[in-house]
Amino acid sequence: KEHWAARMMDFLSQSGGSSSMIALLEWRKAERAARRKVWEPLARWTRRMRRLKVFWTQAVPRAIAESGGRFRKRTERFLGFLGKVVPHAIFFYCAKVVVTRAVPTVLRVSVLRTRYCFASVGFLYPIFMTLTALEGDRLEEAENDEYDAGDGENADAKAKKEQEEEIEKWARYWVAIGPLALLADVPFLSTSVSLFWPSWLEMCCVFVLWLEMPLMNGAYFTVDTVFAPMYKKFESARRRRRREKKRRGDDGSVRRV
């Protein structure tokens, strides 16, 4: 149509046609161009906004009403997980800023980026604290037998509970640091990681401190969010295979009888 209108305008201008006819054709051409470039996109955008309004005002409330409390439970679960993760993310960000900007470069390269620093921070102190937690009860029992303090059963139960919590804490720590220690102990793998991430040993030291700090409870967070779900899946699969083997054995024994 536009090609026909252009040819008609050329014909009228060459043949000396009326100016009103030429103006009418120009107006129709401009109207079609405006409709194609302005009004049609505006109409499409209006239809999309209407659909979006219908979705948020009708479909979403209907889905929430049909799902019952599942949506609220999922939202609460997500917000709870976010509340657990955000403090740890802030800690790692602040630690990275302190290590990269506050610590001198010479100290970072000569001390923090060595495996000796990682081994000292990650193994010597935890080994001492683990032995203290394991042998503390025996030493306290020996002292109580010698001096006969007579604190009562409540004090003994409280001390025993504290010792169990301490043992659980350091057991979780060793579970959490095991894969990292294995990664740092493989020479080729650790060198490859150092090429792409030079400060990864520094962040390993920060990670170890995060696991050890009572304020952050990094060992509990790591085990509960990473290793415990993996172990539960493995244990459920193992128990399922054991039940299947037992069922097959029972079936075979019944058939033999």
Side-chain angles (χ1 to χ4, degrees), residues 114-134:
T114 58
R115 296 173 61 187
Y116 305 105
C117 179
F118 173 70
S120 301
V121 176
F123 291 99
L124 293 181
Y125 177 72
I127 287 173
F128 174 75
M129 295 303 298
T130 305
L131 288 175
T132 303
L134 291 174

Side-chain angles (χ1 to χ4, degrees), residues 3-28:
H3 182 64
W4 176 84
R7 290 184 61 184
M8 183 59 70
M9 288 177 61
D10 294 338
F11 174 74
L12 291 174
S13 60
Q14 292 176 4
S15 61
S18 60
S19 59
S20 59
M21 189 65 181
I22 295 175
L24 179 61
L25 292 173
E26 290 179 353
W27 169 257
R28 293 294 299 273

Side-chain angles (χ1 to χ4, degrees), residues 107-217:
L107 183 62
R108 288 170 53 195
V109 175
S110 60
V111 178
L112 294 180
R113 291 187 184 179
T114 58
R115 296 173 61 187
Y116 305 105
C117 179
F118 173 70
S120 301
V121 176
F123 291 99
L124 293 181
Y125 177 72
I127 287 173
F128 174 75
M129 295 303 298
T130 305
L131 288 175
T132 303
L134 291 174
E135 300 296 332
D137 190 21
R138 298 177 183 176
L139 296 177
E140 288 180 359
E141 288 181 357
E143 290 179 358
N144 291 332
D145 293 338
E146 288 182 7
Y147 297 102
D148 194 11
D151 293 335
E153 296 181 356
N154 295 329
D156 294 339
K158 185 178 180 181
K160 188 174 182 181
K161 184 178 179 181
E162 290 179 356
Q163 185 200 11
E164 291 177 354
E165 291 178 353
E166 194 72 12
I167 293 173
E168 181 184 1
K169 170 188 172 182
W170 290 108
R172 288 174 177 267
Y173 170 81
W174 291 114
V175 171
I177 202 176
L180 182 62
L182 181 63
L183 178 64
D185 193 54
V186 179
F188 176 74
L189 191 58
S190 61
T191 305
S192 302
V193 175
S194 300
L195 292 176
F196 294 100
W197 188 15
S199 61
W200 85 281
L201 281 174
E202 303 168 10
M203 297 310 298
C204 285
C205 296
V206 172
F207 179 75
V208 169
L209 293 176
W210 174 69
L211 292 176
E212 295 175 358
M213 288 178 62
L215 181 63
M216 302 305 299
N217 284 329

